[in-house]
Amino acid sequence: MTPARALLALSITALLGLSACTRQPSPDDSRPGAPPAAREGETADEFIARVNAEYKALYPELTAAQWLSSTYISDDSQLLSAKANERYLGQLKSWIEQAKKFEGQQMSPETARAIRLLKLSTSMPPPKDPAKLTELTQIATRMEGMYGSGEFCTGEGAARSCRQLGDLEEVLRNNRDYNEQLAAWRGWHTISPPMRKDYTRFVELVNDGAQNLGFADAGEMWRSGYDMSPAEIAAETDRLWTQVKPLYEQLHCYTRTRLQSEYGADKGAAAGGMLPAHLLGNMWQQDWGNIWDILAPYPGAGSLDISTALESQYQQAYAGRIAQSQVPATPAMLVEAEQEARLANAKQMTERAQDFYVSLGMPKLPESYWKNTQFIKPRDRDVVCHASAWDMNMEGDVRTKMCIKPNEEDFTTIYHELGHVYYYLAYNKLPPIFQQGAHDGFHEAIGDTIVLAMTPQYLQSIGLVGEQQQTNEALINAQMRMALAKVSFMPFGLMIDRWRWGVFDGSIKPGEYNKAWWDLKAKYQGVAPVEARGEQFFDAGAKYHVPGNTPYTRYFLSHVLQFQFYKALCDASGFKGPLYECSFYGNKEAGQKFQAMLSKGASQPWQQTLKELTGGEKMDASAVLEYFAPLQTWLKQQNEGRTCGWQANATPAPAASPVAPATGPAAPAAPAKPATPPIAG
């Protein structure tokens, strides 16, 4: 994922999670522990007050089930999660049914907003039929399990070797052998074809639930959560993409030229002048920063090699633990020392990220955070490594879940995840229904705003890079590094939900899932596989947010908003100079303004919240273009005389050989996602 996302991904739009009963509740259910029915004579204001109280009371139990299912993947934990999710969706359905009697009645504006948010508080709307609800949660469990424990295995017997996502990502990150990269990319995409049948049924079930709530389909429901009509938000994303597309096209052209120089004219480009999917250093082509060695404009100028510094810190921690041993180290001791060093290094990286937020006047993370967070991948069990941030009780028990490694991508991801955490802490005083982002793109933009302020000078001040020389070459290098994370992501952030909106509304049929996926990647990203990917594949399922059912437009919007936030905070800090040079680290005035925005949560329309921070009510990408102005000028110069752009309808070559399916034990069941899961980066 991009440095600001691993990410990352799931919405706070309603962490209205889980409970532990399997029976489908109904409003008139009188069994012990059943959800309270609508009360005679209750006003709308009283109803919302009751829902907030009921929600907050059951919340810790719900999040505990989900946390367990993500950090201890087993049949038992997944069963608890699935059943908890099933009961919660029934509870949510009961609340929504009860809310219908208040339609057209007098109520406070706050209550009217809360009722609307309640209706939109799940990305997985529950069907009315209890049997379908059970089926839905079981499918969600199964798909998440396939992803969370997915691995690609080759060989037999003693020669058998299996690699999970992290291992395969390392190949794309560090190995420049064309065929090795292709094998790793192919390998991960073998974990998703078994999901295809389940996903097809999943779409039918969530559409059923959305239609019960009055929406045409689940996609329309997702697009209704932006204080504007579904058509308006779709048009808004098109407008924003139009603003940044010329910059992306220049970056694409430059990248293709460099890849062709590295791998040859034929291998460095796919059909139609598109970029080969397996050569961009990232499994999904959403962040190109891992191929910095190929794309660096001026090697050595203003070196920003964070990964080497972080790896060195880890190696020092490891050597220190070995040195502490009073006896010759055994293999078991070495393994334990390695794990201890990784944990210490991960905590050190997290402490550094915390320091930025604290420098703005925000509180230190509670002690429970350091006790309960999953910092690294355990050695004794399967876990979901996909980075996410958690609010366990709406009262300060916050956590993150990652499998941190000492590299730049994970380092900036920590800053991103802590953005979610500090958002939680800022709005914890609000009623539960309002404890979410102004819209979901806001939640994803908070930590990324901090990442933008991690200027070369800031990185030098914390000892991760050497002294920075103020040269044009160093500036272009710094801008390129940021663009490979931010600009490269934007079309990817747009296309995933374009695919799902089509799947949900039926314009993309089950028999063309894979074709439509690659058609959209070609249209928006100019990226293609180097060989045909027919409908025997389900490549969308190899991206966490599809089986995890996480709406993705938020990530595109966040990549616009973060630059708006950044510019506003730079202005608040009194910074004068080019936008890209601004770091508001340590500035309490900027921190106060940021904190004020965070504290509003979803208590008011996002347009008002945005205006209070930036002075404007519209999302706008002009700050993106202002930030990258030097790079865009440079890219145009580099691309002069070249034929840029790509043919999105070009046909890749037939596959040279069939890809063997992943082998190994069946994937255990995985966590059923709550109606709105914890924030994933």
Side-chain angles (χ1 to χ4, degrees), residues 249-270:
E249 289 175 335
Q250 291 294 324
L251 182 64
H252 182 283
C253 189
Y254 170 82
T255 300
R256 184 179 63 201
T257 299
R258 287 300 185 99
L259 288 175
Q260 289 181 308
S261 176
E262 176 76 13
Y263 295 101
D266 293 337
K267 289 185 175 180

Side-chain angles (χ1 to χ4, degrees), residues 573-633:
S573 72
F575 177 79
K576 305 297 181 184
L579 182 59
Y580 52 80
E581 290 184 357
C582 170
S583 179
F584 44 80
Y585 174 75
N587 190 280
K588 298 298 192 292
E589 289 76 14
Q592 289 173 1
K593 196 161 188 177
F594 211 21
Q595 185 78 352
M597 185 191 79
L598 301 182
S599 68
K600 298 296 176 58
S603 62
Q604 60 189 21
W606 66 262
Q607 293 89 341
Q608 183 177 344
T609 301
L610 182 65
K611 185 175 182 179
E612 291 170 2
L613 179 67
T614 69
E617 295 183 345
K618 291 190 69 174
M619 293 180 284
D620 181 64
S622 59
V624 178
L625 302 180
E626 178 183 351
Y627 182 95
F628 287 114
L631 179 65
Q632 188 164 14
T633 298

Side-chain angles (χ1 to χ4, degrees), residues 290-584:
N290 288 328
I291 57 170
W292 174 253
D293 54 308
I294 296 173
L295 300 182
Y298 300 104
S303 176
L304 297 174
D305 185 5
I306 298 173
S307 294
T308 295
L310 293 170
E311 177 66 24
S312 177
Q313 291 176 359
Y314 158 68
Q315 293 294 344
Q316 290 174 20
Y318 178 57
R321 275 154 179 76
I322 297 297
Q324 291 173 6
S325 174
Q326 300 299 312
V327 296
T330 64
M333 290 170 60
L334 292 175
V335 169
E336 188 62 29
E338 178 183 8
Q339 193 76 350
E340 290 177 358
R342 290 198 179 279
L343 178 59
N345 185 245
K347 287 185 175 181
Q348 182 182 17
M349 292 164 66
T350 306
E351 288 166 352
R352 175 54 64 191
Q354 174 190 240
D355 172 69
F356 200 119
Y357 291 89
V358 172
S359 82
L360 300 178
M362 299 181 189
K364 285 190 174 183
L365 297 170
E367 185 60 33
S368 60
Y369 172 87
W370 302 100
K371 177 182 177 182
N372 296 323
T373 280
Q374 175 186 294
F375 291 100
I376 60 174
K377 189 179 190 301
R379 291 187 291 120
D380 60 345
R381 62 186 187 273
D382 283 332
V383 299
V384 177
C385 280
H386 189 93
S388 55
W390 299 63
D391 184 353
M392 303 299 292
N393 64 358
M394 298 184 173
E395 293 182 346
D397 182 358
V398 290
R399 307 175 188 177
T400 53
K401 175 185 61 60
M402 290 183 65
C403 299
I404 296 172
K405 294 182 179 180
N407 59 55
E408 177 181 357
E409 185 173 0
D410 283 6
F411 186 59
T412 52
T413 295
I414 297 168
Y415 284 70
H416 171 88
E417 296 302 336
L418 291 193
H420 293 306
V421 167
Y422 277 100
Y423 212 164
Y424 297 149
L425 295 174
Y427 60 49
N428 269 171
K429 68 181 186 301
L430 295 174
I433 292 176
F434 291 154
Q435 290 195 30
Q436 48 187 300
H439 69 51
D440 53 12
F442 276 65
H443 232 300
E444 300 301 332
I446 304 307
D448 282 4
T449 301
I450 303 298
V451 171
L452 288 173
M454 296 168 64
T455 60
Q457 289 69 34
Y458 166 76
L459 295 172
Q460 178 186 341
S461 74
I462 61 174
L464 287 182
V465 300
E467 183 176 355
Q468 297 297 297
Q469 300 297 321
Q470 300 298 317
T471 66
N472 186 65
E473 289 79 8
L475 168 61
I476 296 303
N477 273 3
Q479 290 240 302
M480 180 64 78
R481 288 188 81 94
M482 193 65 77
L484 294 178
K486 304 295 184 182
V487 179
S488 70
F489 176 83
M490 288 183 170
F492 180 79
L494 202 61
M495 62 79 47
I496 286 191
D497 276 354
R498 287 296 196 276
W499 181 80
R500 280 191 292 201
W501 294 350
V503 167
F504 287 138
D505 70 20
S507 60
I508 296 175
K509 308 296 183 186
E512 55 189 29
Y513 277 176
N514 223 47
K515 178 182 184 301
W517 176 259
W518 286 106
D519 283 350
L520 286 166
K521 288 184 73 68
K523 175 182 177 180
Y524 286 104
Q525 289 183 276
V527 165
V530 295
E531 56 195 18
R533 303 286 295 180
E535 295 304 322
Q536 72 271 32
F537 299 104
F538 181 51
D539 291 330
K543 175 61 181 169
Y544 172 81
H545 300 74
V546 174
N549 194 46
T550 308
Y552 213 80
T553 299
R554 65 189 64 179
Y555 297 106
F556 172 76
L557 295 176
S558 80
H559 276 64
V560 173
L561 285 169
Q562 64 190 253
F563 285 88
Q564 286 183 267
F565 295 170
Y566 173 65
K567 181 175 174 61
L569 295 177
C570 288
D571 290 343
S573 72
F575 177 79
K576 305 297 181 184
L579 182 59
Y580 52 80
E581 290 184 357
C582 170
S583 179
F584 44 80

